[in-house]
Amino acid sequence: MQDATEGPLGFLQIDGATLEGGGQVIRTSLSLAFLQPSRPLRLHSIRAGRPKPGLANQHLVGARLAAALSGRALTGDDKGSTELVAAAHEERPLPPSLEAAAETAGAVTLMLQAALPPLLFCAPGRQLLLRGGTDVNFSPPAAHSALVLAPLLARMGVCLDTRVAARGFNDGGPLGQVTVAACCETPLPPLTLTERGKPTSLRAFVAASDAAACRLLAEALQRALSAAAALRGVEVAVEVDAPPPAAEECAEATRGRGGGGGGSGGGGSG
């Protein structure tokens, strides 16, 4: 990060080609821009490391949501843009609930990455409604937010509640929908993870838009967990989310105790 000479304090210059040159640079920069409230942020060379550089739909939606929560005005927030400026503007009251909707199955979990810090520290008490892909390629599934991220943040005094109202996949079907509510203590205590500890239970989650695929995925996951020697003797729960009426049938196929276990965490997702 380099400081430019423009303005009384200068722009915060962020090179979007840093490291892998992907969307994480955008999400991290905009989610933390509120820490420098008087300084404009300039992102250039956005997603330079990708086959199609520039802002894609999911990045654009997440950027606008983070900016709205943190009181920033965006310039260059267009699809395909390789440069984006976020500057502070006059504070405006926010509604109790904010909605961010992707045109495609852009990952709602990546939108959440951009929105969570300003939601906690700039717009407490607001609820988010995120529409897009809940279980898509190259992104954490929605179950990761509930089963992995939320328990870790709880150790820091952060309460994160994510609820899936509808699922969205890469199959060209309807968009998924997730509601988000969050609050936290201030200041945040540090998170210390120095010992692994012994596994006590494992929760795995399978979701699919097709009931037959759900059943096959759940059965395969159950077999794999049961055969894992490292998971022997610990309770295993395989949860499923399939279209009705096959959900009960799919749950019946995976009900019971597996042969193994592991640390509490997320499992598979179709």
Side-chain angles (χ1 to χ4, degrees), residues 196-224:
R196 182 179 296 272
K198 293 184 178 181
T200 58
S201 64
L202 185 145
R203 290 178 63 194
F205 190 86
V206 177
S209 58
D210 179 81
C214 174
R215 182 176 63 254
L216 292 174
L217 286 168
E219 291 173 350
L221 181 58
Q222 185 73 57
R223 288 194 299 270

Side-chain angles (χ1 to χ4, degrees), residues 154-259:
R155 298 189 183 193
M156 301 176 66
V158 175
C159 177
L160 174 63
D161 182 18
T162 60
R163 304 190 181 191
V164 178
R167 294 199 174 273
F169 302 93
N170 285 114
D171 58 2
L175 297 181
Q177 180 173 305
V178 174
T179 58
V180 179
C183 60
C184 69
E185 304 172 358
T186 53
L188 294 181
L191 178 63
T192 303
L193 300 173
T194 58
E195 297 181 8
R196 182 179 296 272
K198 293 184 178 181
T200 58
S201 64
L202 185 145
R203 290 178 63 194
F205 190 86
V206 177
S209 58
D210 179 81
C214 174
R215 182 176 63 254
L216 292 174
L217 286 168
E219 291 173 350
L221 181 58
Q222 185 73 57
R223 288 194 299 270
L225 294 175
S226 299
L231 307 181
R232 187 171 298 134
V234 179
E235 184 176 0
V236 175
V238 178
E239 302 176 22
V240 297
D241 188 353
E248 180 59 30
E249 176 186 345
C250 190
E252 186 67 30
T254 59
R255 190 168 291 139
R257 183 179 295 251

Side-chain angles (χ1 to χ4, degrees), residues 106-119:
V108 296
T109 53
L110 298 185
M111 298 181 204
L112 179 60
Q113 283 185 7
L116 186 55
L119 174 65

